[in-house]
Amino acid sequence: MERTAPPPEPAAPTPADAPFSDVAGLLDGMPRQRSPRETAVAGGGEPAPAAAPRSHTLRPWLLLPTPTGTPFTFGYATLLCLTSLIAAYADPALVHALLQGSSTDMAHLVRTPELVLIGSALWVAGGVTSPFAIAFVLVLTALERRIGGLRTAGVFLLGHVLATLATEVPVGLAVLAGHLPDSSLHRLDYGVSFGVAAGIGALAGLLPLWLRLPLLAGFGWMLIQDLLAFTDPLTNWGHLIALGIGLATWPVVRRSYAARLHPAGV
C-alpha cells in the first residue's frame, strides 16, 4: 500500500507588530535593484569612477618658489638675496671690484667669457626690491612649475647669454671701426634682467590668451618706453632682444609643458 505525505500545515500569520528582521521574506518577490558595479559588469564595461570634485580654492603660495616644488628658482633666488646683502652692506670698494670683475663688458668677454657670463648673473641691479628682481621670482616660479627646473634654467641662460652677446659684440666692432671710444669696452654690465625678459617671453606662450596678451602688451610697452627715454640704449635693446628670444622658445616650452601634463603611457 502506497503511503502519502501529510498535507502541509498552513503558515502562522505574522503579527502586525513583528520587527522588520522577522519579515525579510515578504520582499523576496520584488525585483532586486542592481548596484552600479553590477550594471557596469553586465554591460561589459568597468564601473565608471566617481568624478572627483574640482577644487577652486585659491593657493597664492604657489606664486612663490619652494625647495621641493621649484628648486632651481628657490636656490637661485636665495643666492641673489645673499649677493644683494653683500652689495648693500659690504665695503663699497670691495663691491665695486666684485661688480667690475663680473661685468660682461667687451674687454672681459674677450678674456674670460665663461666667468663673466656666469658671474654677471649672480647680481641684481637695483637690489631685491627692483622690478626685475620681483619679476624674477614670479616669472621663473611660474615657468618652472610648468616645464621643470632644467628647461627653465635653459630659457634663462639662453636669454642672458644671447642678449648679452647681441649688445656687446656690436660695441666691440664699433670701437674697432673708430666709431666709439675705447672706454666703451669697459662699461659696467651685470644683472639678471636679460634672463628674466626671456622667461617672460617663454611663459607667455604657456598662458591662456586672456593672460598672454596683457602680459606681452604691458611688458613690451615698458621696454619701448625705456628705449625711447634713451638713458641706457644698449641695455634697453638687450631687453627687447631677450624678450624675442623667449618668444622663439614657444615650440619647445609648449612641447615640454604638454609632456608634463600627459606623460607617455598614461
Side-chain angles (χ1 to χ4, degrees), residues 35 41 58 67 162 167 185 204 216 219 233 250 259:
S35 66
V41 173
L58 294 178
L162 294 185
T167 52
L185 299 175
L216 291 178
F219 185 62
W250 281 11

Side-chain angles (χ1 to χ4, degrees), residues 147-177:
I147 64 174
L150 186 60
R151 292 180 178 87
T152 300
V155 169
F156 181 90
L157 289 175
L158 194 66
H160 176 70
V161 172
L162 294 185
T164 297
L165 296 177
T167 52
E168 291 295 340
V169 170
V171 172
L173 296 176
V175 171
L176 289 176

Side-chain angles (χ1 to χ4, degrees), residues 7-32:
E9 297 182 1
T14 304
D17 57 348
F20 284 107
S21 59
D22 295 335
V23 295
L26 294 178
L27 300 181
D28 288 345
M30 298 180 62
R32 185 169 62 89

